[in-house]
Amino acid sequence: MDTIDPTSELWNYASSFLPPDLDRLALESGALRRCRKVGNATELLRLLLCCVQPGGSFRTASAWSASAGLGRLSAEGLFYRMKISEGFLAAVLGSLVLSWRNVSFQR
């Protein structure tokens, strides 16, 4: 069965803004200890963001990840990943804020 991911093009653009050391941040924060059900930190972040979008839930994110070929996590497994990913999400946000700190915006 072919996997269908209508968000891949948008995600490719959005992920260009992410820090290059995403896997290191996930390992250091404890969010990703080993890559069993989730392949890497980028996929983990994508799944976590899917859960918190308007109308999102752990159940829908779990079903979407399986259909998009990102991994097969149960809703409960995704909930657990969210619980242990607080430090990872804070590190990603901190990195993004620091990278945009010196960018000048023109009106």
Side-chain angles (χ1 to χ4, degrees):
M1 180 174 138
D2 291 334
T3 57
I4 299 171
D5 183 9
T7 65
S8 63
E9 208 170 294
L10 179 60
W11 178 252
N12 288 336
Y13 174 71
S15 64
S16 69
F17 295 99
L18 295 176
D21 58 346
L22 206 57
D23 287 317
R24 182 186 59 79
L25 291 174
L27 288 171
E28 288 177 357
S29 68
L32 194 62
R33 294 187 184 112
R34 56 188 169 181
C35 300
R36 279 192 343 190
K37 302 278 186 176
V38 178
N40 56 44
T42 304
E43 289 180 8
L44 175 62
L45 180 61
R46 193 171 178 192
L47 287 171
L48 295 175
L49 291 175
C50 183
C51 294
V52 299
Q53 70 180 347
S57 70
F58 294 111
R59 183 170 287 151
T60 57
S62 174
W64 172 78
S65 76
S67 69
L70 292 177
R72 294 192 177 274
L73 272 106
S74 65
E76 294 81 9
L78 207 45
F79 175 75
Y80 174 76
R81 292 288 182 134
M82 180 68 82
K83 276 180 33 177
I84 65 170
S85 295
E86 181 181 352
F88 172 57
L89 294 172
V92 171
L93 180 59
S95 178
L96 290 172
V97 168
L98 287 175
S99 71
W100 284 87
R101 183 178 60 177
N102 296 322
V103 175
S104 62
F105 294 97
Q106 298 178 5
R107 292 184 179 207

